[in-house]
Amino acid sequence: MALRESFAIGNVRVRAGASKEVELPITRLVTGGDISLPVRVLHGREPGPAVWVNAAIHGDEVMGVEVVQQIVASLSPKTLRGTLLAVPVVNVFGFMTGERYLPDRRDLNRSFPGSARGSLASRIAHLFMTEVVGTCDVGIDLHTAADRRSNLPQIRADLDDPRTRELAEAFGAPVMLHARLRDGSLRQAGRDRGARVLLYEAGEAMRFQAEPIAVGVAGVRRVLASLGMIDPDPAWAEHPAPEECRSSAWVRARGTGILHLDVRLGDRVETGQRLGGLSDTFGRRVRLVHADRDGIVIGLTRAPIVNAGDALVHIASPAT
Ligand SMILES: [Zn+2]
């Protein structure tokens, strides 16, 4: 059999059956030294789809960095069918300082597809689109909840697209939530380029948590198996199907106080059910928090003190 053609990225080529770390130049630091976007390419010996997995588009969402590392460690380009582009950190500036945004306060996930002459965020987005998204059929974008919130492991994707839906089902997170595309997001820009994109949300910012990492690693591997890139693991057969949800909303605080929640991630709740309460500083209950819909708790705040209007509990409604 003829050897598969090598894979071109940046100014390097990766031969079939090999793995290579590539540094795509972004800019220079004010103190000197180049800053680059690190990409690990695993170019399988046999043909197959090209898939990217990225984490930390928001620099403080470090959970996915560990997922990407474990995925790479679990694969061999000798047996892989197709090509995997692993990008552990996209927002390299935010990652170094533990911040969600770029130094200019821009949200990288509202800066896609970007441009070579735009803001720093726009340039990183453009580089990622050109070198990574442009050569891939499928992408998986790993996130966590924002600061002081926590998310149940869940896939957000355009479930109305049959191929994307199959991939979301293959991932097998407890919940898959239909999400409309958002302007400037990687998911939107990827879709516009013809790629199927899954967004994985799990856990908290600035934390490595065992369950979100384990569900993420297993999910990415199940997607790769569903694409024929790796062999499925027999242990996966027992996995329950994800619960499909079509909409979600936050229950917000109706006053100010110290919050105690009675519900946990993954709990099923009914309209009117008590979710917790707000107290004053001496522990006197000043207000109760109730569910405004039936559904599954997919996110909640970890903040002990809340103000009127703060988001407390995120409830997703299962499809009927
Ligand atoms: Zn995020």
Side-chain angles (χ1 to χ4, degrees):
M1 198 175 83
L3 196 61
R4 191 181 177 211
E5 205 179 318
S6 62
F7 185 86
I9 179 168
N11 54 10
V12 305
R13 296 193 78 89
V14 186
R15 63 185 169 76
S19 165
K20 201 171 212 171
E21 220 166 276
V22 183
E23 296 204 346
L24 303 170
I26 298 172
T27 186
R28 270 182 79 77
L29 289 169
V30 63
T31 48
D34 294 322
I35 190 146
S36 56
L37 181 70
V39 181
R40 163 75 72 172
V41 181
L42 285 86
H43 192 42
R45 183 172 279 167
E46 291 180 51
V51 174
W52 91 79
V53 182
N54 75 270
I57 274 200
H58 294 130
D60 60 344
E61 298 180 1
V62 300
M63 178 277 299
V65 180
E66 181 69 17
V67 173
V68 172
Q69 284 177 11
Q70 291 191 21
I71 291 294
V72 169
S74 77
L75 299 174
S76 162
K78 303 268 182 280
T79 53
L80 184 70
R81 296 176 286 272
T83 307
L84 184 89
L85 274 62
V87 190
V89 180
V90 186
N91 179 357
V92 289
F93 294 90
F95 184 70
M96 287 189 288
T97 53
E99 302 208 20
R100 181 178 178 83
Y101 301 120
L102 283 156
D104 62 1
R105 308 304 301 156
R106 278 177 211 264
D107 184 343
L108 184 51
N109 210 25
R110 297 288 173 274
S111 304
F112 282 87
S115 106
R117 298 266 168 273
S119 68
L120 183 57
S122 182
R123 287 172 192 222
I124 295 174
H126 177 76
L127 180 68
F128 192 82
M129 289 303 293
T130 310
E131 299 290 349
V132 177
V133 178
T135 52
C136 286
D137 311 295
V138 170
I140 305 173
D141 181 18
L142 307 172
H143 288 254
T144 72
D147 186 35
R148 290 192 297 168
R149 289 184 187 168
S150 187
N151 279 341
L152 180 76
Q154 60 195 266
I155 286 291
R156 297 184 186 175
D158 176 8
L159 300 179
D160 290 339
D161 174 60
R163 281 296 294 135
T164 307
R165 186 194 179 83
E166 279 174 32
L167 297 170
E169 282 171 349
F171 194 103
V175 165
M176 56 180 195
L177 176 62
H178 177 65
R180 270 186 289 273
L181 293 165
R182 222 181 256 198
D183 220 24
S185 69
L186 168 60
R187 205 156 63 83
Q188 164 92 61
R191 181 65 199 269
D192 291 346
R193 285 276 176 98
R196 265 52 191 238
V197 188
L198 301 182
L199 190 148
Y200 176 61
E201 276 279 359
E204 300 173 33
M206 295 305 278
R207 298 273 182 278
F208 285 139
Q209 296 163 286
E211 198 208 345
I213 291 169
V215 174
V217 172
V220 174
R221 285 181 58 79
R222 275 192 294 262
V223 169
L224 298 181
S226 81
L227 293 165
M229 297 171 70
I230 60 173
D231 294 329
D233 186 325
W236 295 342
E238 297 303 309
H239 197 83
E243 181 93 52
E244 179 182 352
C245 296
R246 299 296 298 186
S247 66
S248 69
W250 282 90
V251 174
R252 291 182 178 276
R254 297 170 74 182
T256 299
I258 295 172
L259 176 69
H260 296 275
L261 288 177
D262 305 332
V263 287
R264 295 188 302 177
L265 292 173
D267 282 358
R268 281 175 185 278
V269 296
E270 290 177 1
T271 308
Q273 182 179 330
R274 197 176 94 185
L275 303 176
L278 298 175
S279 310
D280 67 13
T281 51
F282 291 105
R284 281 185 291 257
R285 216 3 85 92
V286 291
R287 212 176 275 274
L288 293 174
V289 179
H290 293 105
D292 61 352
R293 65 190 60 220
D294 297 354
I296 303 164
V297 175
I298 61 164
L300 35 83
T301 183
R302 296 287 191 211
I305 302 152
V306 297
N307 290 304
D310 284 357
L312 306 182
V313 179
H314 193 187
I315 302 174
S317 311
T320 45

